[in-house]
Amino acid sequence: MTITITAFERSPDGGKGLARDTRVRWALEEVGQPYEVRLVSFAAMKAPAHLRLHPFGKIPTYEEGDLVLFESGAIVFHLAQRHAGLLPDDANARARAITWMFAALNTVEPPILDLSIAKFQEGDKPWAKERMPLVQERIRDRMVPLSNRLGDAEWLDGAFSAGDLMMVSVLLRLRPSGILDEFPNLAAYVARGEARPAYQRAFAAQLAINAP
């Protein structure tokens, strides 16, 4: 059965790989599964046809036969469970990799997203200047223990896993702020993720759609 995912017809980031379809593309490339992409406009995302796939009118979605999924974390988790390459065989290591997936999405990503909101959606508010340092400090509160845990290791828990895929994807959103550079081991960790051939293929595919 053909796998079809949805992506922005024109990504708000202009092809920098920050849109969540890139995470799913990366996972598909890591497990060696071919896929097709259906591009959707912002208007189409709110139309009934797309809302049947994603009730919140977002991207990405995943279709394979009768199976329809939404939420990038759920899609990557599904792929990691179904295909070899993203989860260890050892049961305990597998559980730890899944834990890192949840940590990336539930603990690390929220304050990073808050920074984007503070900058682009609330930047014109009279209290924006005072709020920004608080948002940045909450991010650092996550980066310090993450940096300490990674140390000088290559990946979070032994071999590369879906936990690393999600964590690198989340941390990429932090790079424009400069905060990532305050933690050299995390910056190097992200660079290792970007250097993986599967990531390179995924990034190139989404960039080609958004190229001028």
Side-chain angles (χ1 to χ4, degrees):
M1 291 178 286
T2 301
I3 295 171
T4 301
I5 68 170
T6 50
F8 287 121
E9 184 177 70
R10 181 62 60 175
S11 180
D13 71 3
K16 295 179 181 177
L18 304 183
R20 289 178 175 85
D21 66 285
T22 305
R23 305 172 181 181
V24 175
R25 293 172 186 268
W26 185 6
L28 286 161
E29 294 288 351
E30 288 283 356
V31 300
Q33 292 298 304
Y35 63 98
E36 296 180 355
V37 181
R38 183 169 63 254
L39 303 178
V40 291
S41 65
F42 285 102
M45 287 165 58
K46 306 303 179 184
H50 188 73
L51 290 174
R52 284 193 290 270
L53 304 176
H54 197 311
F56 302 104
K58 304 292 185 180
I59 61 98
T61 59
Y62 175 100
E63 299 167 74
E64 185 179 13
D66 294 332
L67 177 65
V68 176
L69 300 174
F70 61 97
E71 292 294 333
S72 62
I75 297 169
V76 171
F77 186 33
H78 168 74
L79 291 169
Q81 287 187 304
R82 179 166 288 189
H83 306 285
L86 284 175
L87 287 176
D89 293 330
D90 175 76
N92 288 347
R94 191 180 188 92
R96 290 193 299 270
I98 294 168
T99 298
W100 279 115
M101 290 185 67
F102 279 86
L105 295 174
N106 293 345
T107 301
V108 178
E109 187 170 43
I112 295 175
L113 293 179
D114 201 21
L115 180 63
S116 297
I117 293 171
K119 183 176 180 180
F120 296 109
Q121 298 180 29
E122 301 172 349
D124 60 344
K125 305 297 182 184
W127 37 260
K129 186 176 180 180
E130 288 75 18
R131 182 170 182 261
M132 185 64 73
L134 301 176
V135 175
Q136 294 171 334
E137 196 57 34
R138 283 196 290 270
I139 293 173
R140 293 185 179 96
D141 286 344
R142 295 291 185 263
M143 294 300 102
V144 169
L146 180 62
S147 174
N148 291 341
R149 182 58 179 264
L150 179 64
D152 59 1
E154 185 176 19
W155 306 112
L156 288 169
D157 192 85
F160 177 85
S161 75
D164 294 296
L165 186 152
M166 295 307 299
M167 190 65 76
V168 169
S169 296
V170 165
L171 292 177
L172 276 166
R173 290 176 167 268
L174 190 56
R175 180 178 281 158
S177 72
I179 295 176
L180 184 63
D181 293 330
E182 297 175 17
F183 303 89
N185 66 331
L186 293 181
Y189 169 68
V190 170
R192 284 192 294 275
E194 291 178 294
R196 292 181 68 83
Y199 178 85
Q200 292 289 314
R201 293 192 296 270
F203 181 85
Q206 65 81 36
L207 180 61
I209 293 169
N210 292 281

